[in-house]
Amino acid sequence: MPMAASDSIEALTATPVPQESGLSLWDMALNGGWIMIPIALLSVIAVYIFVERFIALRKARKDAPYFMDRIREYLEDGKRDAAIKVCEQTRAPYAAMIEKGIMRIGHPASEVQAAIENVGNVQVAQMEKGFTMLATVASGAPMIGFLGTVTGMIQAFYDMANAGSNVDITLISGGIYQALVTTVAGLVVGIIALFAYNYLNTLLDRVVNEMESKTLEFMDLVETNDKIK
């Protein structure tokens, strides 16, 4: 007896459809081998340095309103101690530079300029703390990933050599899989660290420009204002 159309539809809908299992990032990390451990550590280090330096540079970029106006007013009135106190209360790299310049008032302009630049160099060095490590992560993570590529391919060819004529694709897929996973992980960490490093350098350049601007303004104030000697 021929099957009815409704029975055919029911039979088709009752047939289970195979579900494709997705591959999670965690599974990839676990199958990447021991090389994934140093890559993971480098990623944690890079994130920590970026967040810590980002917060520090954002604080350094905060400009105190009327800072130079107050400095000029106090210096013209001969109140150097008050001007120094303003610098101490202002948490900005340029404030430490101006404070040193105020202490050097009365000396030749070249000495005042040199003292300010020395303090500025120290401030920049403090703000650059961690930059070298971040650059190392940017260049080192891909290299470690490539190391995982080499070790994975060595493992794959080793399995092929031991299998002899009974070579199966599943036999060598583990080593190749490890090689590809470590390469991707190393490149991802390296690329992110590189972008983070360049972004922090951009923030640092803006802070340095502000420091230079305040220095020029202070030197112009000292050299052209006869009330400040």
Side-chain angles (χ1 to χ4, degrees), residues 18-28 31 177:
Q19 298 291 330
E20 295 184 359
S21 58
L23 184 63
S24 65
L25 293 176
W26 178 249
D27 292 333
M28 291 178 61
N31 292 319
Y177 180 81

Side-chain angles (χ1 to χ4, degrees), residues 16-208:
V17 178
Q19 298 291 330
E20 295 184 359
S21 58
L23 184 63
S24 65
L25 293 176
W26 178 249
D27 292 333
M28 291 178 61
L30 291 179
N31 292 319
W34 66 269
I35 291 291
M36 295 297 294
I37 297 177
I39 293 178
L41 290 176
L42 290 178
S43 66
V44 173
I45 293 173
V47 171
Y48 172 79
I49 293 175
F50 174 75
V51 173
E52 191 271 336
R53 288 293 88 194
F54 175 78
I55 295 174
L57 291 173
R58 286 293 297 270
K59 290 181 179 179
R61 285 190 60 195
K62 290 184 178 180
D63 188 19
Y66 310 112
F67 172 78
M68 289 304 301
D69 293 336
R70 296 174 65 188
I71 296 297
R72 179 184 295 103
E73 179 181 351
Y74 284 133
L75 291 181
E76 289 178 349
D77 293 340
K79 301 178 180 178
R80 293 189 185 181
D81 292 338
I84 292 176
K85 188 175 182 180
V86 171
C87 295
E88 293 174 348
Q89 294 174 345
T90 304
R91 295 183 177 180
Y94 59 78
M97 299 169 61
I98 301 303
E99 179 182 355
K100 178 61 69 173
I102 295 173
M103 293 179 178
R104 293 288 183 176
I105 290 178
H107 293 77
S110 59
E111 293 185 11
V112 177
Q113 181 76 28
I116 293 176
E117 289 179 355
N118 290 336
V119 175
N121 292 333
V122 173
Q123 294 292 324
V124 172
Q126 292 177 350
M127 290 185 289
E128 286 180 333
K129 182 179 64 175
F131 278 37
T132 302
M133 185 61 195
L134 191 59
T136 302
V137 172
S139 59
M143 299 300 294
I144 296 177
F146 292 146
L147 176 61
T149 302
V150 174
T151 57
M153 295 305 296
I154 290 175
Q155 183 64 46
F157 283 107
Y158 177 79
D159 295 338
M160 290 176 60
N162 289 337
S165 59
N166 300 321
V167 177
D168 187 3
I169 186 63
T170 58
L171 185 65
I172 63 175
S173 60
I176 297 176
Y177 180 81
Q178 175 184 335
L180 296 177
V181 168
T182 55
T183 301
V184 171
L187 287 173
V188 168
V189 174
I191 291 172
I192 293 176
L194 178 62
F195 278 101
Y197 174 78
N198 289 332
Y199 180 71
L200 290 179
N201 268 307
T202 301
L203 294 182
L204 179 61
D205 288 340
R206 294 174 182 174
V207 176
V208 171

